[in-house]
Amino acid sequence: MGEAVELEAGGRTVRLSSPDKVYFPERGFTKLDLARYYLAVGPGILRALRDRPTTLERYPEGVAGESFFQKRAPGNRPDWIPTAHITFPSGRSADEMCPTEAAAVLWAAQYGTFTFHPWPVRRADVDHPDELRIDLDPQPGTDYADAVRAARELREVLHEYGGLRGWPKTSGGRGLHVFVPIRPDWTFTQVRRAAIAVARELERRMPDQVTSAWWKEERGSRIFVDYNQTARDRTIASAYSVRPRPHAPVSAPLTWEEVGDAVPDDFDLATMPARFAALGDVHADMDDHAFSLEALLELAFRDEHDHGLGDLPYPPEYPKMPGEPKRVQPSRARKTAG
């Protein structure tokens, strides 16, 4: 698989073994291609990961091989890659790596990391998110064009509730993600509550096209606003991450002007470096902003007290949360009641 090579990033040298190992057979992309990709978009992905506890989605044998999520920082990491101590919903804890320089991304690529999953917090304060992340997830019978329509209305919702601004990106599949930088003044529970308020408001405006229903049997052919992606230990693939699909797509940051015209398949391991060289990181100014969630939390309060719309179910692996409704599939609940 070829002699090891050394790559330079930010004054660091990272050794890459087996550089010719094929990771994406359909396209012929190798481990070296993956590493060079991350080198080309280094400033962009570092902006997305900097100081964030990060889970690594690893494919040591390539996209067709076995994979796993590595939450605990590898013991063999260099001493220049710091960590943060984070707590999971189970009560267990771990030290996760927190990239602070581009060489850390290359180092992870050496071990078959395709996708980086950063927490919405910084290592200085791991209990207060600094991003509100909205995941627009197409359900069967919908596609990217439907996600685009939802994203455009979402943009208006964000602006109306607190003058919020979101930064959109492709998921690397059919969906869209919109990230809103916020002040780290609220807990995970409060940020999730704000995401639920966004989902419900979007659903009110587009009832035939958008849903906040947790249970799949209730979603229909609509875009699901996955509010649980804001729960503690739930993460979304970072901007510029390579996604584990045969054609090696990437999660591509977009401007709002591009959202309607973008075709997700246009952004992959081969094409993104040229785009980055021409445009740079189109989300580079995200860290210059930090918005308030007060207006969305006020909306959540009104939803509950005026309309009886309280909390929504957490994922099944989470402990039962105060105020959470029963985690029972609606059809099963009806059978039990009958």
Side-chain angles (χ1 to χ4, degrees):
M1 296 189 182
E3 296 291 331
V5 299
E6 292 184 340
L7 299 176
E8 300 289 332
R12 305 254 186 218
T13 300
V14 178
R15 183 177 184 273
L16 204 71
S17 62
S18 304
D20 297 332
K21 178 184 284 189
V22 176
Y23 274 175
F24 294 90
E26 183 176 294
R27 304 289 301 279
F29 296 140
T30 64
K31 178 193 278 194
L32 182 58
D33 292 324
L34 178 72
R36 284 176 172 164
Y37 164 79
Y38 279 126
L39 189 61
V41 301
I45 193 166
L46 182 60
R47 187 267 310 154
L49 300 178
R50 190 188 304 275
D51 282 325
R52 299 189 183 281
T54 300
T55 297
L56 309 179
E57 187 176 356
R58 294 177 53 187
Y59 288 76
E61 300 306 318
V63 71
E66 293 185 3
S67 65
F68 60 96
F69 289 86
Q70 182 156 7
K71 294 187 175 183
R72 299 180 185 277
N76 64 340
R77 73 183 185 283
D79 58 10
W80 45 266
I81 300 180
T83 63
H85 194 73
I86 47 91
T87 302
F88 303 116
S90 64
R92 296 182 179 181
S93 61
D95 293 323
E96 285 206 354
M97 66 176 285
C98 299
T100 57
E101 48 189 292
V105 179
L106 288 187
W107 178 84
Q110 149 65 15
Y111 293 97
T113 300
F114 287 6
T115 308
F116 295 82
H117 296 267
W119 281 48
V121 300
R122 309 280 184 171
R123 61 189 173 114
D125 184 357
V126 296
D127 292 317
H128 295 88
D130 68 347
E131 287 181 345
L132 170 65
R133 299 174 173 179
I134 308 297
D135 181 7
L136 302 175
D137 185 10
Q139 300 302 292
T142 64
D143 56 21
Y144 178 77
D146 297 298
V148 167
R149 284 188 282 272
R152 285 172 169 161
E153 189 62 37
L154 170 63
R155 188 183 187 188
E156 297 302 314
V157 170
L158 293 174
H159 179 72
E160 290 177 28
Y161 287 91
L164 306 182
R165 176 185 167 194
W167 278 254
K169 68 182 185 72
T170 66
S171 66
R174 296 184 303 133
L176 276 167
H177 302 150
V178 179
F179 286 11
V180 181
I182 60 175
R183 299 198 311 263
D185 293 345
W186 295 275
T187 65
F188 277 94
T189 301
Q190 291 171 310
V191 173
R192 179 178 174 275
R193 197 76 175 94
I196 290 173
V198 168
R200 283 174 167 155
E201 179 63 19
L202 200 56
E203 185 177 36
R204 279 189 286 267
R205 299 182 184 201
M206 307 177 71
D208 296 328
Q209 298 166 286
V210 171
T211 180
S212 63
W214 175 247
W215 302 104
K216 291 183 179 180
E217 65 183 30
E218 295 186 321
R219 294 178 189 171
S221 297
R222 293 180 287 181
I223 298 296
F224 172 49
V225 184
D226 191 354
Y227 59 87
N228 267 330
Q229 292 291 45
T230 54
R232 180 185 287 271
D233 192 35
R234 281 298 182 98
T235 56
I236 293 178
S238 77
Y240 300 102
S241 274
V242 176
R243 307 313 308 275
R245 296 181 175 88
H247 61 291
V250 304
S251 180
L254 304 173
T255 66
W256 278 108
E257 292 69 30
E258 292 178 302
V259 167
D261 297 326
V263 178
D265 284 350
D266 285 345
F267 307 109
D268 61 31
L269 190 149
T271 61
M272 180 56 80
R275 171 181 167 87
F276 194 89
L279 301 179
D281 179 15
V282 297
H283 287 189
D285 63 333
M286 269 190 69
D287 289 345
D288 297 336
H289 302 268
F291 295 100
S292 171
L293 288 181
E294 291 174 1
L296 285 178
L297 291 173
E298 174 61 26
L299 175 62
F301 177 84
R302 294 200 305 271
D303 277 346
E304 182 165 9
H305 287 269
D306 298 347
H307 306 291
L309 299 174
D311 202 357
L312 289 171
Y314 274 78
E317 70 273 16
Y318 281 63
K320 184 70 175 178
M321 299 294 288
E324 180 191 359
K326 291 182 179 179
R327 288 184 208 165
V328 180
Q329 191 171 337
S331 58
R332 182 176 300 176
R334 289 192 292 272
K335 290 178 182 178
T336 301

